[in-house]
Amino acid sequence: MTDTPTPAARAADLRARLEDANQRYHVLDEPDITDAEYDRLMRELEALEAAHPELADPASPTRRVGAAPSRAFDEVRHAIPMLSLGNAFADEEVADFVARIEERLDLRAPVFSVEPKFDGLAISLRYEDGVFVRGATRGDGATGEDVTVNLRVVRAVPLRLRGEGVPRVLEVRGEVYMPRAAFEAYNARAREHGGKVLANPRNGAAGSLRQLDPAVTASRPLAFYAYALGVVEGGDLPATHSATLVRLRDWGFPVSPLVSTARGVEGCLDYYRSIGAQRDALPFDIDGVVYKLDDLAGQRELGFVGRTPRWAIAHKFPAQEQTTRLVAIDINIGRTGAATPIARLEPVQVGGVVVTNATLHNADQIARLDVRVGDTVIVRRAGDVIPEVVRVVDEARVADAPVWQMPANCPICSSELVREEGEVVWRCSGELVCPAQRKEAVIHFASRRAMDIEGLGGRLIEDLCDLGFVASVADLYKLTVEDFVEMRRQADARDGTTPETVKAGKVATKWAENLVEAIEASRAATLERFLFALGIEHVGESTAKALATWFGSLERVRRMPWPLLTLVPDIGGEVAHSIGHFFEQDGNQAVIDGLLARGVRIGDEHGVSAKFAAALEVAGALAAIGIPKLTAKRAEQLAAAFAADAIADAPEHQLVTAGLPADTAAAFVAWRAEPAHARLLDDTLGALAALRADLDASGAAVASLPLDGKTFVLTGTLASLTRDAAKARLEALGAKVAGSVSKKTSVVVAGTEAGSKLDKAQELGVEIWDEDRLVALFAEHA
Ligand code: IVH
């Protein structure tokens, strides 16, 4: 059991915590506790000081409004202090507030100006003869910071006032804030580029205004609403606050359209509920509403008590930020395989909703915040934005809590999680097997440009996956008419729709028969389509085509160590890695085996291309691996000095003797000492040697395709096949298919109603074929 501290010790503790929080909030723009927590501590201290007058201290945080300004800006003394508002949380507190006013002024149900309580940064703007001359932050209420240069770049701040009757000197007070959308966009960019993330829009506004470089302020979209006056000289003003706000709007100040008037407690509470209902949908954060006695004479009569006016009060909403404990960090795998870390939280009310999960965005964000399991964290929820962890409360860190690390494997399918260089997002590489990604994988696989399974669309695939008929793309090829009918029956039962099978008997079967036929027809695929259909990240149609032409067979592609993939000019390191990772997953390989076992046949396999045979050099492969310091030139030296199978074991002194500089040799040996690197080196050189041996044994296997180097142009309508199909066949035979005719065109194929391309071909004397000739060519090479 812990000892209860003495009141003096507790007061000292509370003052230290509050002072520290003040310093972080006002001077550093890096708050570490929530407003709600701050309010709670302040209330506790106020209560403690009230109960123990002997603890009174003129320097207590209860005696002042904020913290001292930072030294970077000039100080501005506020001729009329910028004070703060008392808070009400419960309806009764509002009733008490109104009752006190009614009693003191002896009136019933007075009118209030009712306004949102904007969650930004209070500022004061001074105008002389209608011209903006100085802007200041609130600071500690008595003295603020001169941020004139920064406020000048805020578009919502008028530089010159318009309209009639502008006083000679006019000080307008209001709130600078950052709209939520701007805040989200700013953070999304920061997360992508590893920059500093803003904890909330209020910090965004405060931080932006306190930039020493106004250009930085200008780059942050800030907004402003006016809600009060300071010094006014040489001008007449209306008798009510609400009329003053109308006047301010006339002079060019933004005034929130949500500002209104209300009568008595009921009017105020109605307003509170109405704004509360709109809160999540508003484009900016608010933390409550403010009720201000509308009659300015009444305001003067009531005056102030301590640092707050008797004529106004803030009625707070449930806090949008709360403190809670993080009990675990799980990984959520999205439909594209993106791995998002999710914080599992001890349930906590945030903005009126119980929150148990919050996003941590990505691994970089966790590292930046240094979030660890067991930490006490601040959670923020605003609008429809997913709740997020914005900060760790450092002092609550559990001793020895380990630094969090991204797990190596997908929590759903156990495939490796990978991250590409320069990317923020980690992804599950089990595209074909990961249930989280399966639907997307199947939809892509069946799509027109992939395996082109007619009639098998997104909705149907979702049902097939959801109802357990399809766990991977390979399962498509075991589906029967009965399966489809049964699947539809279950889907109808689930959705509460009248079963089609009951309604229309045969029709439903016909539909299923058509699907089974379409699936059957897709069994015969080209290598290019098949590779594209696998949905490997970064492998679009053109990369799939390059892989097909260069390597010629699925077996070769699926076993190729990634460094050898980079020998294809169109395939860079990033793409090669992505392909390599895909095929390294046992699950993905098993799905491919399943597809082949269920009768998927690739009809156009051939030997490796002559270009690949020529590029298949040890030096190039070594250089592609990206070994530190091993430039293309050094790789050549190595390849020239050693047999391929000796490179992995060559002792350092021999490397130096072979001409490598000492540091290059040392770097190579150090790199090679890592088992994963040694394996990559072995695999790459081993695969290379095997390919070479193959080529030497059967030189004929090298494909020089029949239409290598030829360019075809298709024009007009073809009767026996689609233009896409003709194009695909021609390309499979090695031709390039271009869109327009030039001197370089080898053949123009003219269907019926061929137009200007045919004319152009005749003009340039390009060879012209009709459809029969094309079909004959295809038959010859079938
Ligand atoms: S009136 C003497 N009206 O709340 C009262 N303040 O705790 C002067 N605030 O620092 C303030 N919206 O930053 C007023 N509609 C509003 C407000 C508002 C937000 C903030 C302001 C001030 C704090 C007072």
Side-chain angles (χ1 to χ4, degrees):
M1 218 190 102
T2 48
D3 290 338
T4 311
T6 62
R10 182 64 186 153
D13 184 23
L14 287 169
R15 285 171 188 159
R17 299 263 314 260
L18 287 164
E19 275 299 343
D20 185 52
N22 251 337
Q23 166 80 8
R24 283 170 182 271
Y25 184 109
H26 290 282
V27 179
L28 304 176
D29 295 331
E30 277 181 353
D32 66 341
I33 61 173
T34 59
D35 286 2
E37 179 75 348
Y38 184 91
D39 284 346
R40 198 185 62 69
L41 296 175
M42 183 64 94
R43 282 185 161 214
E44 187 186 340
L45 183 58
E46 278 167 357
L48 200 61
E49 287 178 353
H52 299 275
E54 76 279 6
L55 296 178
D57 176 357
S60 171
T62 55
R63 304 284 181 98
R64 63 198 196 105
V65 181
S70 96
R71 245 168 289 144
F73 295 94
D74 284 346
E75 290 191 351
V76 173
R77 274 206 78 75
H78 300 299
I80 298 178
M82 292 181 75
L83 298 172
S84 62
L85 296 166
N87 289 328
F89 294 90
D91 290 1
E92 297 72 50
E93 294 173 272
V94 176
D96 289 348
F97 160 76
V98 175
R100 279 195 301 272
I101 292 174
E102 289 178 336
E103 195 180 319
R104 278 188 179 251
L105 299 183
D106 193 22
L107 39 77
R108 292 277 79 81
V111 173
F112 291 91
S113 174
V114 289
E115 310 169 7
K117 186 170 187 298
F118 309 104
D119 202 4
L121 183 74
I123 56 151
S124 173
L125 305 170
R126 184 180 168 95
Y127 293 81
E128 291 174 7
D129 298 318
V131 175
F132 176 56
V133 292
R134 198 183 60 209
T137 62
R138 181 169 100 171
D140 65 3
T143 308
E145 293 171 314
D146 185 336
V147 287
T148 311
V149 286
N150 287 343
L151 282 169
R152 277 186 196 286
V153 303
V154 176
R155 293 232 214 129
V157 170
L159 296 180
R160 182 183 294 275
L161 303 183
R162 313 181 266 117
E164 301 295 302
V166 176
R168 204 185 60 70
V169 175
L170 175 70
E171 211 182 300
V172 170
R173 290 168 179 184
E175 200 89 350
V176 166
Y177 65 93
M178 182 178 269
R180 279 178 192 157
F183 162 77
E184 293 297 336
Y186 179 91
N187 272 358
R189 227 174 308 127
R191 275 192 288 270
E192 208 165 287
H193 300 120
K196 195 175 168 200
V197 174
L198 305 168
N200 51 45
R202 184 189 55 224
N203 277 83
S208 305
L209 261 199
R210 297 180 69 262
Q211 289 294 327
L212 289 172
D213 178 2
V216 176
T217 312
S219 72
R220 311 244 180 113
L222 298 179
F224 169 74
Y225 278 135
Y227 52 63
L229 290 179
V231 174
V232 179
E233 288 169 19
D236 289 331
L237 286 171
T240 64
H241 183 75
S242 53
T244 307
L245 292 181
V246 172
R247 191 70 63 85
L248 287 178
R249 188 178 290 150
D250 291 344
W251 289 335
F253 292 97
V255 173
S256 168
L258 298 172
V259 167
S260 183
T261 54
R263 185 175 282 282
V265 185
E266 279 318 312
C268 288
L269 294 180
D270 282 349
Y271 180 73
Y272 177 81
R273 287 187 278 266
S274 143
I275 298 292
Q278 298 173 56
R279 182 188 190 191
D280 276 356
L282 294 179
F284 47 82
D285 278 6
I286 59 175
D287 58 344
V289 296
V290 183
Y291 311 130
K292 300 171 184 171
L293 182 68
D294 201 29
D295 177 41
L296 298 176
Q299 286 190 5
R300 276 188 292 277
E301 201 176 325
L302 287 167
F304 291 81
V305 51
R307 60 187 173 119
T308 58
R310 283 200 188 84
W311 44 265
I313 199 166
H315 190 183
K316 295 292 236 7
F317 289 133
Q320 271 170 335
E321 289 181 14
Q322 278 297 357
T323 309
T324 188
R325 218 174 66 84
L326 182 150
V327 292
I329 297 178
D330 290 345
I331 300 297
N332 179 61
I333 304 292
R335 282 159 72 95
T336 59
T340 306
I342 306 288
R344 304 290 177 209
L345 307 168
E346 266 172 19
V348 62
Q349 284 263 351
V350 190
V353 169
V354 177
V355 169
T356 50
N357 302 318
T359 180
L360 286 155
H361 294 288
N362 54 52
D364 286 4
Q365 173 84 345
I366 295 181
R368 214 160 15 219
L369 300 177
D370 188 19
V371 182
R372 306 187 191 181
V373 173
D375 276 351
T376 300
V377 295
I378 292 167
V379 181
R380 171 184 156 82
R381 175 193 160 268
D384 347 326
V385 181
I386 303 164
E388 59 177 348
V389 172
V390 296
R391 197 176 298 279
V392 172
V393 180
D394 289 332
E395 69 238 41
R397 163 75 38 87
V398 187
D400 308 330
V403 173
W404 185 81
Q405 272 180 328
M406 186 59 102
N409 301 95
C410 171
I412 298 179
C413 73
S414 302
S415 299
E416 210 181 333
L417 293 179
V418 295
R419 157 148 84 174
E420 276 146 33
E421 238 174 273
E423 283 267 319
V424 169
V425 176
W426 288 76
R427 280 177 202 284
C428 167
S429 48
E431 281 101 326
L432 292 185
V433 281
C434 187
Q437 302 170 70
R438 213 146 49 188
K439 281 184 209 167
E440 288 298 307
V442 180
I443 291 171
H444 172 77
F445 184 84
S447 65
R448 197 176 59 78
R449 310 176 83 95
M451 299 298 272
D452 193 18
I453 306 179
E454 217 184 308
L456 196 61
R459 274 296 309 271
L460 208 54
I461 291 173
E462 290 209 0
D463 284 343
L464 284 170
C465 291
D466 289 345
L467 296 169
F469 286 82
V470 165
S472 82
V473 292
D475 293 343
L476 291 174
Y477 292 96
K478 62 166 206 222
L479 290 173
T480 61
V481 171
E482 291 70 38
D483 287 335
F484 276 110
V485 172
E486 171 61 14
M487 191 276 296
R488 170 58 71 83
R489 194 191 60 75
Q490 290 183 17
D492 284 337
R494 179 197 58 192
D495 303 340
T497 42
T498 315
E500 291 279 337
T501 40
V502 172
K503 245 179 12 192
K506 277 222 129 118
V507 180
T509 316
K510 181 76 192 144
W511 153 87
E513 280 162 8
N514 288 343
L515 276 169
V516 170
E517 235 168 73
I519 292 173
E520 180 61 40
S522 76
R523 277 205 167 92
T526 62
L527 178 57
E528 174 193 332
R529 270 182 184 267
F530 184 83
L531 289 172
F532 174 66
L534 293 177
I536 305 167
E537 222 209 331
H538 298 307
V539 177
E541 285 167 289
S542 72
T543 305
K545 177 180 296 179
L547 289 170
T549 351
W550 278 67
F551 301 117
S553 85
L554 174 63
E555 270 323 288
R556 258 177 242 122
V557 176
R558 71 192 282 208
R559 312 279 173 219
M560 195 72 71
W562 69 261
L564 299 185
L565 296 172
T566 63
L567 300 180
V568 177
D570 299 347
I571 297 179
E574 191 187 348
V575 180
H577 266 111
S578 167
I579 300 170
H581 274 297
F582 180 91
F583 289 115
E584 270 163 32
Q585 307 309 310
D586 293 342
N588 290 340
Q589 292 283 8
V591 170
I592 295 171
D593 288 337
L595 285 166
L596 298 175
R598 299 220 164 100
V600 173
R601 285 285 160 263
I602 294 161
D604 61 344
E605 293 191 325
H606 52 72
V608 297
S609 74
K611 286 186 216 152
F612 181 63
L616 206 52
E617 294 289 348
V618 172
L622 282 175
I625 296 177
I627 300 163
K629 292 187 193 287
L630 202 78
T631 58
K633 186 175 150 219
R634 301 295 174 212
E636 299 256 1
Q637 277 177 316
L638 258 188
F642 297 93
D645 57 359
I647 291 175
D649 305 313
E652 190 167 342
H653 70 268
Q654 283 187 14
L655 296 171
V656 176
T657 316
L660 286 197
D663 63 335
T664 310
F668 178 50
V669 171
W671 179 87
R672 210 174 54 180
E674 184 88 32
H677 292 161
R679 215 173 316 122
L680 178 65
L681 190 63
D682 265 354
D683 287 353
T684 306
L685 296 178
L688 190 145
L691 279 161
R692 287 229 70 99
D694 237 22
L695 287 171
D696 292 345
S698 58
V702 175
S704 77
L705 296 171
L707 299 180
D708 264 346
K710 296 236 188 295
T711 303
F712 277 64
V713 172
L714 300 168
T715 181
T717 311
L718 301 175
S720 59
L721 73 179
T722 66
R723 190 98 69 96
D724 270 356
K727 179 167 184 262
R729 294 295 313 272
L730 283 168
E731 283 169 344
L733 295 173
K736 229 180 101 185
V737 178
S740 61
V741 180
S742 74
K743 273 191 294 197
K744 294 204 189 106
T745 309
S746 328
V747 174
V748 169
V749 179
T752 52
E753 284 158 44
S756 61
K757 287 179 194 171
L758 178 57
D759 300 342
K760 183 91 183 270
Q762 279 160 346
E763 193 181 303
L764 294 173
V766 171
E767 188 175 343
I768 297 166
W769 287 11
D770 62 9
E771 183 172 344
D772 290 347
R773 176 103 192 257
L774 184 70
V775 171
L777 173 85
F778 290 158
E780 192 184 320
H781 296 287

